Amino acid sequence: MTLELFGHPFSSYCWKAAIALDEMGADWTWRVIEPGSEWTPVWEKLWPIKRFPVLRDGERVVAEASAIIEYLHVHHRSVGDPLIPDDGDAAVIVRMLDRFFDHYVSDPQARFVFNAIRPADQRDPLAEQEGGAMLERSYGWLEGHIAGREWATGEAFSMADCAAAPALFYADWTYPFGDRFPAVTAYRQRLLARPSIARAVDGGRPYRAFFPLGAPDRD
Ligand SMILES: N[C@@H](CCC(=O)N[C@@H](CS)C(=O)NCC(=O)O)C(=O)O
């Protein structure tokens, strides 16, 4: 049975799940949530929290991108290396890096975006200052961590890289690495060259005009 991914092809957290689905060679399809979509009321019923991605696998429903990947790892492991290592200690590091990219790269980046779509007189005056300070710390730590590694935890592509790809893709648009973080820049390029990630980026391409901060003319 085809797996259904409720979400949007321009959403960073949906990319994370979509990349994992493609890495595993899963048979899956988008259920796109956008104004007027027949899938929106279905999604709202499945997950009244109203956040995506949400995965439906027959009767099973899983929300939250990391939990979706954990679910796929348990039930749909097919091709390629496992996205979560069998070795328990190695799995701890993958989960730690996964949290790092979500909480300390994606979420501060999102503060800029959410602030930009608020009415001008209701913006959070600290969003960019605090979000930028967090991104500075994250880029600085990652620069040292990723130097000498191909993927987030070493030689094997993992769930942490599924999180890293959208996080770093949009973070560099929002709060550019410039030339201060060459190892992070090179890692982002390696990610973007990977077929599962290139597919996610291409899926979001038609929606770039909607990026609230203005999408740069690259990538
Ligand atoms: N912690 C969630 C984050 C999900 C999330 O924030 N999704 C955003 C899109 S990237 C969303 O649902 N936006 C819909 C909205 O704001 O209406 C996860 O890891 O899946």
Side-chain angles (χ1 to χ4, degrees), residues 7-8 10-17 33 43 47 49-54 63-68 99 102-103 107 110 114 117 170:
H8 193 279
F10 199 45
S11 143
S12 56
Y13 283 103
C14 293
W15 282 12
K16 180 174 163 182
I33 305 303
W43 163 67
W47 188 230
I49 298 301
K50 295 194 198 179
R51 286 288 177 275
F52 40 70
V54 171
E64 293 288 310
S66 299
I68 289 170
R99 301 294 74 225
D102 277 15
H103 291 310
D107 291 350
F114 290 139
I117 58 182
Y170 286 114

Side-chain angles (χ1 to χ4, degrees), residues 1 3 14 16 26 55 59-60 68 92 101 118 142 147 152-153 158 160 189 211 214 216-217:
M1 185 188 297
L3 298 167
C14 293
K16 180 174 163 182
L55 182 80
E59 296 296 306
R60 300 288 302 269
I68 289 170
V92 168
F101 286 112
R118 284 179 179 164
L142 186 60
T153 60
S158 73
Q189 286 310 117
F211 189 66
D217 189 19

Side-chain angles (χ1 to χ4, degrees), residues 35-157:
S37 165
E38 62 180 306
W39 298 109
T40 303
V42 180
W43 163 67
E44 288 176 351
K45 203 165 173 197
L46 291 175
W47 188 230
I49 298 301
K50 295 194 198 179
R51 286 288 177 275
F52 40 70
V54 171
L55 182 80
R56 182 161 70 175
D57 181 12
E59 296 296 306
R60 300 288 302 269
V61 175
V62 185
E64 293 288 310
S66 299
I68 289 170
I69 297 175
E70 297 269 1
Y71 175 84
L72 294 171
H73 177 71
V74 172
H75 294 283
H76 293 278
R77 208 166 139 177
S78 49
V79 297
D81 291 331
L83 293 179
I84 301 165
D86 294 326
D87 176 76
D89 279 337
V92 168
I93 304 303
V94 165
R95 293 186 174 103
M96 183 185 96
L97 269 290
D98 174 70
R99 301 294 74 225
F100 165 77
F101 286 112
D102 277 15
H103 291 310
Y104 307 132
V105 181
S106 261
D107 291 350
Q109 184 275 337
R111 284 190 71 175
F112 285 74
V113 171
F114 290 139
N115 214 28
I117 58 182
R118 284 179 179 164
D121 61 346
Q122 291 170 35
R123 296 211 171 116
D124 175 356
L126 293 178
E128 296 192 3
Q129 187 185 325
E130 291 176 355
M134 186 72 249
L135 287 172
E136 284 284 338
R137 285 200 291 279
S138 297
Y139 295 172
W141 178 80
L142 186 60
E143 180 69 16
H145 172 82
I146 206 68
R149 288 183 169 85
E150 184 174 10
W151 303 115
T153 60
E155 288 177 14
F157 187 90

Side-chain angles (χ1 to χ4, degrees), residues 8 10 34 113 117 173 204-215:
H8 193 279
F10 199 45
E34 57 189 358
V113 171
I117 58 182
W173 276 14
R205 219 171 272 284
Y207 305 96
R208 287 187 177 192
F210 299 110
F211 189 66
L213 304 169

